[in-house]
Amino acid sequence: MASNNKILEEVSGWLRVYHDNSVDRSWTGPPEVEFLMKPVPSHEDFKDGVATRDVLIDPNTGLSVRIYIPASENGFHVQDKMPLILHFHGGGFCISQADWFMYYHFYAWLVRSVRAVCVSVYLRLAPEHRLPAACDDAYAAFLWLRDVARGEMSESWLKSYADFGRVFLVGDSTGGNIVHDLAARVGGLESEPVRLAGGVAIHPGFLRAEPSKSFLELAESPLLTRDMVNKFMGLALPIGSSKDHPITCPMGAEAPPLAGLKLPPMLVVVAEKDLLRDTELEYCEAMKEAGKDVEVMMNPGMGHSFYFNKLAIEADPETKAQAELLIERIKSFITRQEI
């Protein structure tokens, strides 16, 4: 007898949603890039210049984080407290997780370069958990950091190595949307001794219901196609919402006015050949018009999330150079915000 469990929605290579509401996220694209989507086990011994551990921060919801600390020149003992990066992965709110190789490779590199602690959140995914679920997970992770800083919760690495007075939000692609959403959400929150010092949105997934010129005309890239954007947003946004929703369009009419938000200094990274380039730049201009502290870095000649493509970084000198410049710009931004 033929199965009635047919595919209702498919994002080529990435995701299949079935009639019984089950979701298959096994990679079915080119096998030579599958390693980018493979989980990297945590390791509390130092490898690749970092140690990592996975921590369950809310037993009731299952919310977990991955913590990175950099190796010091003389081993495990770090002399000074380091800035703390709270990281949110991308994936259109529908795919990817904090332990994927693409994130491990880049964030181990960033942690080593900046000399920072990183806490990367395992966000719930749509369509099983539509927005604002991922944003709520980010907020819960921030509150957990506050509880650890106050001694109400315990985490030995953070207690030993993290400076809670220098917390930076960093997000890739739709993780960049979460950076804005969380910064706005905690702007008026009593969070001492945690101080939100800045936010970094890398190729954020800002969109409008009316497609931009770049979205319609630029060439697609391996990590972002128009089909991916449209289908992921259809699966992730609340039922009945369009891309003008405040999470995807924080500069739009449906979102709280930017001028009324208490936001930290922000660095927005834009790729010249990103389909989302125009709406990312629109966000930056709206932030400037609202009197917010925002700086923009452009990656010339690059596409969306290019810095995760280890094969391209190894094969193309310009891609490698742009990834190195990205690391240095984030490092510079963090250093300049420190008191």
Side-chain angles (χ1 to χ4, degrees), residues 72-90:
S72 63
E73 293 180 356
N74 57 357
F76 190 86
H77 301 289
V78 179
Q79 297 298 318
D80 299 317
K81 295 292 184 75
M82 294 175 284
L84 174 57
I85 293 169
L86 182 58
H87 169 248
F88 313 111
H89 63 73

Side-chain angles (χ1 to χ4, degrees), residues 253-273:
E254 294 182 22
L258 294 174
L261 302 178
K262 183 181 178 182
L263 298 172
M266 301 282 281
L267 169 63
V268 180
V269 183
V270 180
E272 182 185 18
K273 294 185 177 181

Side-chain angles (χ1 to χ4, degrees), residues 156-231:
S156 60
W157 280 5
L158 297 185
K159 181 179 179 181
S160 297
Y161 306 119
D163 182 348
F164 292 101
R166 296 182 289 163
V167 173
F168 294 84
L169 310 180
V170 179
D172 314 285
S173 190
T174 47
N177 302 53
I178 296 175
V179 167
H180 175 89
D181 182 83
L182 181 61
R185 193 167 179 177
V186 304
L189 182 70
E190 181 69 31
S191 63
E192 287 76 9
V194 171
R195 182 181 74 91
L196 185 55
V200 181
I202 311 174
H203 307 170
F206 297 142
L207 297 158
R208 281 189 178 276
E210 182 69 27
S212 69
K213 190 171 186 288
S214 65
F215 187 84
L216 292 173
E217 296 182 2
L218 289 180
E220 298 177 331
S221 69
L223 291 173
L224 193 73
T225 67
R226 281 173 277 273
D227 183 66
M228 285 172 64
V229 171
N230 291 329
K231 287 183 176 177

